[in-house]
Amino acid sequence: MTETLFDVERIRKDFPILSRELPGGRPLVYLDSGNSSQKPLQVVNAMRDHLEHHYSNVGRALHVLGSESTEAYEGARDKVAAFIGAPSRDEVVFTKNASEALNLVAYAFGNPLAEDERFRVRPGDEILISEMEHHSNIVPWQLVAQRTGATLRWFPVTDEGRLDLSGLTELVNERTKIVSIVHQSNVLGTVNPVAEVLARARQVGAVMMLDASQSVPHRPVDVAALGVDFVAFTGHKMVGPSGIGVLWGRREVLEAMPPFLGGGEMIEAVWMDHSTYAPIPHKFEAGTPPIVEAVGLGAAVDYLTSVGMDDIRRHEHELTEYGLAALAEVPGLRVLGPKTAEGRGGTLSFTLPEVHPHDVGQILDDAFGIAVRVGHHCARPLHLRFGIPASTRASMYLYNTTDEIDALVRGLHHVQKVFG
Amino acid sequence: MIAESLYQELILEHYKHPQGRGLREPYDAEVHHVNPTCGDEVTMRVRLGDGGKVLDVSYDGQGCSISQAAASVLHELATGSTVGDSLAVVDEFTRLMQGRGQVEPDEDVLGDAVAFAGVAKYPARVKCALLAWMAFKDAVARSSA
Ligand SMILES: Cc1ncc(COP(=O)(O)O)c(C=O)c1O
């Protein structure tokens, strides 16, 4: 086995919150990064520096601060573009979060302003998602279906928590307008086989989108190599701030889409009765954008790059292997999703017999300072699929350690003692 | 450990061995209440008799220990009591739960339900404790209507 050079203790020092004490002197064990990640000093300082020295509105101010702020904002776009291998910086659209990025794309479908045939939706056309989606990649498509009379369909999920592709050729067919699936599941950890689905989508001329909210933070993602049309992700899960998300789209497809929100900065010229629109990406960025948040996201991708996305993936893979083995020791515990670390990320969701997840989470927090998420994690249909109302989820990131997994397992034994 | 004060022995006992659980006939009113933030739910039926007597409180549901134990304790307190007396307990229980841990519970009124006092310090869990009790209040109002 190769010795890993990943220095997690050094990384933890970049995240001051990880060494804070909780009331009662408990140390914090943060296992909720799938929900939102913590922020390193590098991000906090970059945002603070911008606010202290460079802040002004972007795009429209001619003064020194205006140009410095614009440069920082647009510089963040360059960084994000490089981070995800975007062929062009113009293909990176800043949004509020992943949900807005998904809605932005969904809004184009069946929109009377969309002249491109790919976005025309008629009754009987189909939209394809999967049973393992986050609500953010379900509800926008339900709305499209309701507006247009299209049929919403979905890939089922296997008992092991993988996408069931056995019906691929029937599910992706001549009527399919868009296939939008999660890249890495926020509950199961499953990493989905994009190429296979994309190949079929291309055969039938369907557009394809990936919800990469849980993959971009955790593994190297190259949008050009993936070859899909759209990728959505969100800043706060990748050591960046909340309030900013990203839609990457292939230039040609973004250009074929109608605007989403109307307002300042998204226009070229405005008359009282009509307008012409700015080129991408600004066509999709109406109003004053999240400026400081973009700066923070730029610092976040710098930070992740300096640590190394390959190393982050490897570290999390090791934690996942360790975590799956450790959880298997807890009597009766049932892991949702793949039982091995192959093709899966460090999201460990599980149930304990006879103990409700809210009680699990409460005791882990109260007694041990362990922060996990409990509930359906915005993936209710997936929980219904597995016949459970809720689960407990421990999700890991670059700063987590095997000691923290040990603490989780000790905590779970305690939970079982309380309810034994 | 704060959790110790939340998970009182009595609560755990009722969770593990719920009293009067299961929906029964006959009944005068049935209600279904859910807590959308956590998905806890309860279906509750009440059967009233002469003189405002509560003949039966039957229920079914799913959720955390707090919500399920609260339903069980409610069943014990309300069955055989009167509408007036049981609603007085509901009011006192509600006052306790919404008191942010600052309210001194009236043990004479609350009986076993006093075990839930610790829940009041957990705003996120107060709704769990109140779920069945609000459902009961609703069901009584509907059957007397
Ligand atoms: C897979 C997935 N998609 C979408 C989202 C939505 O992200 P946001 O709330 O930042 O829009 C999340 C996170 O909650 C997620 O895990």
Side-chain angles (χ1 to χ4, degrees):
Chain A
M1 212 179 116
T2 51
E3 186 68 22
T4 150
L5 294 174
F6 198 83
D7 188 351
V8 69
E9 286 313 319
R10 185 181 55 74
I11 286 171
R12 289 178 71 83
K13 291 205 173 67
D14 292 332
F15 294 80
I17 205 168
L18 296 178
S19 43
R20 73 157 278 189
E21 254 188 17
L22 302 177
R26 291 162 292 160
L28 169 68
V29 176
Y30 192 73
L31 295 175
D32 198 21
S33 296
N35 194 355
S36 201
S37 69
Q38 296 301 341
K39 326 300 174 198
L41 278 171
Q42 288 83 341
V43 168
V44 177
N45 290 340
M47 294 174 76
R48 184 189 174 104
D49 177 69
H50 189 81
L51 283 165
E52 281 185 352
H53 302 294
H54 309 291
Y55 180 79
S56 157
N57 210 333
V58 297
R60 50 179 97 160
L62 282 179
H63 42 71
V64 172
L65 295 185
S67 63
E68 287 181 6
S69 211
T70 304
E71 209 169 292
Y73 178 72
E74 294 300 333
R77 196 188 310 276
D78 292 325
K79 290 175 184 189
V80 171
F83 186 68
I84 57 169
S88 162
R89 67 181 307 280
D90 298 338
E91 297 176 340
V92 173
V93 176
F94 285 135
T95 61
K96 184 168 61 172
N97 46 36
S99 303
E100 188 181 88
L102 289 155
N103 277 277
L104 191 163
V105 173
Y107 189 73
F109 284 87
N111 185 328
L113 300 182
E115 283 160 15
D116 194 284
E117 178 55 30
R118 286 169 294 185
F119 295 99
R120 292 257 169 85
V121 183
R122 299 171 190 85
D125 285 345
E126 295 178 6
I127 296 162
L128 183 62
I129 58 176
S130 89
E131 212 174 8
M132 66 167 82
E133 299 309 315
H134 187 282
H135 297 163
S136 293
N137 197 29
I138 299 176
V139 184
W141 302 112
Q142 292 175 341
L143 293 171
V144 176
Q146 285 162 11
R147 272 199 305 267
T148 61
T151 305
L152 183 64
R153 304 187 68 188
W154 49 87
F155 287 110
V157 167
T158 68
D159 289 340
E160 215 225 338
R162 303 269 180 200
L163 215 53
D164 181 352
L165 294 182
S166 57
L168 177 66
T169 42
E170 195 281 318
L171 278 170
V172 186
N173 60 57
E174 304 296 332
R175 295 181 301 275
T176 310
K177 301 299 292 191
I178 171 134
V179 181
S180 184
I181 57 171
V182 71
H183 194 194
Q184 176 169 332
S185 162
N186 70 318
V187 176
L188 308 165
T190 308
V191 179
N192 285 322
V194 176
E196 204 179 331
V197 179
L198 178 65
R200 178 65 188 151
R202 289 292 177 247
Q203 281 176 359
V204 300
V207 173
M208 182 157 173
M209 176 159 199
L210 284 184
D211 174 0
S213 303
Q214 298 284 352
S215 58
V216 166
H218 300 285
R219 54 189 60 245
V221 170
D222 183 311
V223 295
L226 281 171
V228 297
D229 299 298
F230 298 106
V231 172
F233 53 101
T234 196
H236 66 95
K237 292 187 203 285
M238 51 189 290
V239 310
S242 57
I244 186 152
V246 175
L247 170 67
W248 170 82
R250 285 196 301 113
R251 172 186 289 279
E252 171 269 321
V253 191
L254 285 175
E255 285 174 344
M257 285 160 66
F260 176 45
L261 302 175
E265 301 309 324
M266 55 76 71
I267 48 84
E268 184 182 65
V270 178
W271 292 264
M272 279 315 290
D273 60 347
H274 73 286
S275 300
T276 55
Y277 308 120
I280 62 164
H282 298 105
K283 176 167 107 180
F284 296 109
E285 294 181 2
T288 300
I291 302 166
V292 186
E293 288 77 6
V295 171
L297 182 59
V301 304
D302 280 348
Y303 182 81
L304 293 173
T305 304
S306 74
V307 176
M309 289 308 296
D310 262 322
D311 288 347
I312 291 172
R313 172 175 55 182
R314 203 171 306 123
H315 175 68
E316 290 182 32
H317 184 77
E318 284 168 12
L319 288 178
T320 308
E321 283 184 324
Y322 188 92
L324 285 169
L327 289 179
E329 306 285 304
V330 179
L333 183 145
R334 172 180 166 215
V335 169
L336 302 177
K339 306 293 179 286
T340 72
E342 304 321 308
R344 154 200 237 299
T347 304
L348 303 174
S349 300
F350 56 86
T351 57
L352 283 181
E354 310 301 324
V355 194
H356 193 277
H358 284 95
D359 294 320
V360 176
Q362 183 89 59
I363 293 176
L364 289 178
D365 180 42
D366 275 355
F368 303 99
I370 300 171
V372 293
R373 183 159 173 195
V374 296
H376 51 49
H377 324 307
C378 300
R380 190 163 181 273
L382 181 65
H383 281 78
L384 294 177
R385 151 71 179 86
F386 284 102
I388 50 177
S391 62
T392 304
R393 178 182 79 180
S395 53
M396 288 167 304
Y397 208 1
L398 74 166
Y399 39 64
N400 289 118
T401 66
T402 51
D403 283 353
E404 291 178 309
I405 295 171
D406 292 342
L408 171 68
V409 170
R410 276 196 306 277
L412 293 174
H413 282 297
H414 180 75
V415 169
Q416 292 194 315
K417 221 170 73 210
V418 173
F419 282 87
Chain B
M1 283 190 240
I2 327 169
E4 265 28 347
S5 67
L6 180 59
Y7 295 105
Q8 296 288 319
E9 214 32 65
L10 187 127
I11 295 180
L12 293 173
E13 268 312 306
H14 274 274
Y15 177 57
K16 290 176 209 165
H17 309 288
Q19 304 298 302
R21 191 184 168 95
L23 296 170
R24 287 178 289 277
E25 313 261 353
Y27 60 93
D28 298 315
E30 176 184 289
V31 298
H32 180 71
H33 281 209
V34 296
N35 179 350
T37 50
C38 61
D40 286 3
E41 51 189 285
V42 66
T43 304
M44 182 160 291
R45 292 177 177 177
V46 293
R47 166 91 175 134
L48 303 181
D50 293 340
K53 207 160 170 55
V54 180
L55 297 177
D56 192 22
V57 177
S58 71
Y59 65 94
D60 207 353
Q62 58 165 25
C64 67
S65 59
I66 306 295
S67 70
Q68 299 307 296
S72 172
V73 169
L74 168 82
H75 162 85
E76 282 200 340
L77 289 172
T79 311
S81 169
T82 63
V83 167
D85 285 351
S86 61
L87 288 182
V89 186
V90 172
D91 285 347
E92 176 60 12
F93 188 69
T94 308
R95 192 178 73 91
L96 175 64
M97 285 303 108
Q98 293 174 345
R100 304 181 169 280
Q102 310 295 318
V103 164
E104 203 47 55
D106 185 341
E107 280 206 59
D108 294 340
V109 178
L110 287 175
D112 277 357
V114 78
F116 289 85
V119 179
K121 288 183 231 126
Y122 296 81
R125 307 303 294 277
V126 167
K127 277 200 201 130
C128 310
L130 284 176
L131 183 67
W133 292 64
M134 292 298 121
F136 174 71
K137 202 172 169 178
D138 187 14
V140 167
R142 286 174 197 231
S143 37
S144 334

